[in-house]
Amino acid sequence: MTDFATSTAPADVVRRQYLASAAGDLEALHATLAPDVEWTEMAGFPLAGTYRTPGGVTSHVMEELVKEWNDWAAHDDTYVVDGENVVVLARYTAVNKATGKPLAVRVAHHFVVRGGLIVRFEQFVDTALVREAMSA
């Protein structure tokens, strides 16, 4: 039996990424990402774009989310695994700092995991609901 903490199974790697993100543990998060990771936040999302390198992902996404939102969380509900592809059906919850409005929106995340590291990520989310929570 493989230990979850060291497993290279795609779903285990992705789960460790969610746990590290939730804990704010950037070192553990970086450990799940390939050096040349491509991380894409959906067009229309406030942080839209493709970011490369673990440092680029955390500085342009994770660190920015905490500036705009209180209690930002990605709740990973359902995993669908096909080889190196992991699709996670999830939810974002948070409260926007500027407006005080809550956010609760369903999302889908597509990860590609090779050699025990996330090499690609793509986010799918109803960006209108995110922007609504950000609008006064």
Side-chain angles (χ1 to χ4, degrees):
M1 186 166 140
T2 305
D3 181 25
F4 171 77
T6 58
S7 170
T8 59
D12 290 343
V13 173
V14 169
R15 179 70 179 136
R16 284 197 305 273
Q17 179 274 149
Y18 280 105
L19 291 171
S21 181
D25 186 343
L26 298 185
E27 184 177 328
L29 178 65
H30 285 186
T32 66
L33 304 176
D36 58 348
V37 65
E38 288 187 10
W39 187 281
T40 301
E41 299 287 316
M42 188 169 171
F45 190 71
L47 304 173
T50 298
Y51 307 103
R52 291 171 175 80
T53 76
V57 171
T58 55
S59 67
H60 289 100
V61 180
M62 285 61 176
E63 292 174 14
E64 291 301 314
L65 287 171
V66 298
K67 291 178 184 176
E68 299 285 331
W69 302 90
N70 287 320
D71 304 319
W72 180 273
H75 309 271
D76 51 329
D77 297 328
T78 304
Y79 284 64
V80 180
V81 181
D82 182 18
E84 65 185 13
N85 293 284
V86 180
V87 174
V88 180
L89 304 178
R91 297 170 288 123
Y92 290 154
T93 59
V95 176
N96 186 265
K97 289 181 178 181
T99 67
K101 291 182 182 178
L103 172 70
V105 63
R106 295 289 293 161
V107 300
H109 293 155
H110 174 219
F111 295 87
V112 177
V113 180
R114 289 189 192 121
L117 295 172
I118 296 166
V119 297
R120 192 165 44 248
F121 165 88
E122 187 173 7
Q123 170 202 57
F124 300 90
V125 61
D126 185 341
T127 59
L129 293 176
V130 176
R131 294 214 176 263
E132 182 180 308
M134 297 177 78
S135 299

